[in-house]
Amino acid sequence: MKNSFDVIVVGAGHAGIEAALACARRGLSCAVFTISLDAVGNMPCNPSVGGSGKGHLVFELDALGGEMGYAADRVTMQSRTLNTGRGAAVRSKRVQADRAAYRLLMKHTLETQENLTLVQAEVTSVEVERTSGGRMRVCGVTCRPGGYMSARAVIISTGTYLGGLCHIGDIHTRSGPDGMLPAEGLTASLAELGVSLMRFKTGTPPRILRSTIDFSALELQPGEDCITPFSARTDAAELNSRESVPCHIAYTNERTHEIIRSSIDRSPLFSGVIHGTGPRYCPSIEDKVIRFADKTRHQLFVEPMGRDTEEIYLQGFSSSMPDDVQYKMLTSIRGFETAQIMRFAYAIEYDCVNPLELRHTLEFKNIAGLYGAGQFNGSSGYEEAAVQGFVAGVNAALKLLGRAPMILRRSDGYIGTLVDDLVTKGTNEPYRIMTSRSEYRLLHRQDNADERLSAIGHRIGLVSDERFAAVQQKYRLVDAECTRLEETHLAPSDALAAMLTAHGTAPTSSGVSLADLLRRPQITYADLAPFDPARPELPRVVTEQAEIRLKYAGYIQRQLRQVAEFTRLEERLLPQDLDYQEVSCLRLEARQKLSDIRPASLGQASRISGVSPADIATLMVYLESREGQE
């Protein structure tokens, strides 16, 4: 095997996959090292892709030229759109994926990718050299087996393997997820380089043998009939032709809760054995029972692990309780009285970096050529990991190719929001994306991700000319249909009045445009069909976009004005050699935070905890006086 590459990726989970493919598809030689080839693209927790906020990430990743959405479409067992009763901004696609099929598909994708080498080996250290200015620059890694491998860039995407420690009651095992070997040596290597590390924790529920569950006692949760793919590369007709696999809903009860309360001293989470910080938005079942003592039940989602396996995933039942307690808890639930556990639930602690050490490109500030991605950066979830891997991979490739970096701003979408949150605000718990984190969520819908980001994907060379042209044509049709609806007017009529009254809105007494009727919340594009005989035959994705644009036009314009103000601050760059200690009138806390984080712009500085609007005003005055002296 060759021992010199342009880029080395450490880890082949969701972040590592996207990072490696982005580099290799840009023509760079890339090696991916993984502790186990059987863990490439593994889903150690729930075998699902998408969800609230997370679905937005997958659509954005696909628009930029990533792989996750296309792979998820190919192994979809069931698809649902969440929050359909709410506005378009928060609707999110979620699919139940075939875990084994996804893993094999992603492994084969890496194996067959030109310029990419996939190797089973453990990276034990990151090697650096000193530049003439004394700064550290990455030069390779040391592997076991394999020895030293040189590289111009290294991307660390170790997931939950780094210093992995699994807990099941009083059983504590040095392990990665699913009983895999942990990554043991790399933590010490990073610490020697001065990298600030944190200790986080996550967990997973038990897997149950399908035949031991009484599904007649559970609530059926069917999928949607008309599936919109994550990826523009997917054949929607073929996707919708597949048989959907049903999911179910179960509930804990007072007996379950009493079993947990009476055994809480045996939980390593509550006995003080676990020191890592867990995810606030995905707590263990024992944590939920203790924190929400007034609740008499908690909802659980009963979901298949694949089409060719009998394992069932019990989402919402994550635990680190001993095995005997897990059985008592499980069999107290209606429908699970005789359930058999195939894999016990466990908690896992792992090492990760303080993301404040990273730039928006996800390159380390103090080690040139070294990048972090995924759960290594303090995030949680497959989707968050994948988009960070893509950002790191793209920026490593662009830097080596001598091109400008890809920096996605908060105003660009959820990926930009996620990265900015991590590198500007940091995190003291596993970070999870949510629609509420975006200031511009009406602009950042999952349905218009291609409009927002395909041009960037095309610029960085990961969206083809043909695909980009198709996106442009789609939105030309949207523009034309919006114009036609604005210019087409209806005269008052009994039929129109009857339709409007039937939908709970007032009849019109004068002529009205189709666009104005469509702006009424009660009226849909389909409702207007009988009154619109000249309507052209258009794809559903086009008519949906036209309807959303017209219904939310006022709100969209308001957010566009907010983006313009945001952009003004983002474009006011801060000199990287600025000595904040010498800026008079800055508060002490602001000086410390600004010196530590070294924000790239006034916009980023304004989002740092501990930096006030008065501090930003002081910085603006200082910059103006400094520029006047130059």
Side-chain angles (χ1 to χ4, degrees), residues 14-15 54 57 156-160 198 200-202 277-280 350-355 358 362 372-389 418-419 421-423 426-433 437:
H14 306 283
K54 295 170 177 283
L57 291 178
I156 302 178
S157 51
T158 46
T160 60
M198 307 183 295
F200 279 176
K201 164 259 174 186
T202 189
T277 305
R280 179 184 314 189
Y350 57 96
D351 296 325
C352 55
V353 70
N354 181 344
L358 306 173
L362 297 184
Q375 286 183 271
F376 175 73
N377 289 354
S379 65
S380 69
Y382 311 143
E383 302 81 3
E384 289 91 340
V387 299
Q388 289 176 73
L418 182 156
V419 172
D421 278 350
L422 287 173
V423 305
T427 184
N428 56 10
E429 62 183 307
Y431 176 96
R432 176 180 177 178
I433 196 65
R437 295 193 189 273

Side-chain angles (χ1 to χ4, degrees), residues 247-277:
C247 297
H248 295 79
I249 296 174
Y251 297 92
T252 62
N253 52 56
E254 283 287 11
R255 184 176 165 222
T256 314
H257 299 181
E258 179 52 38
I259 292 169
I260 291 172
R261 285 190 289 263
S262 64
S263 305
I264 201 66
D265 60 319
R266 300 181 64 193
S267 166
L269 184 64
F270 285 85
S271 64
V273 173
I274 293 178
H275 301 288
T277 305

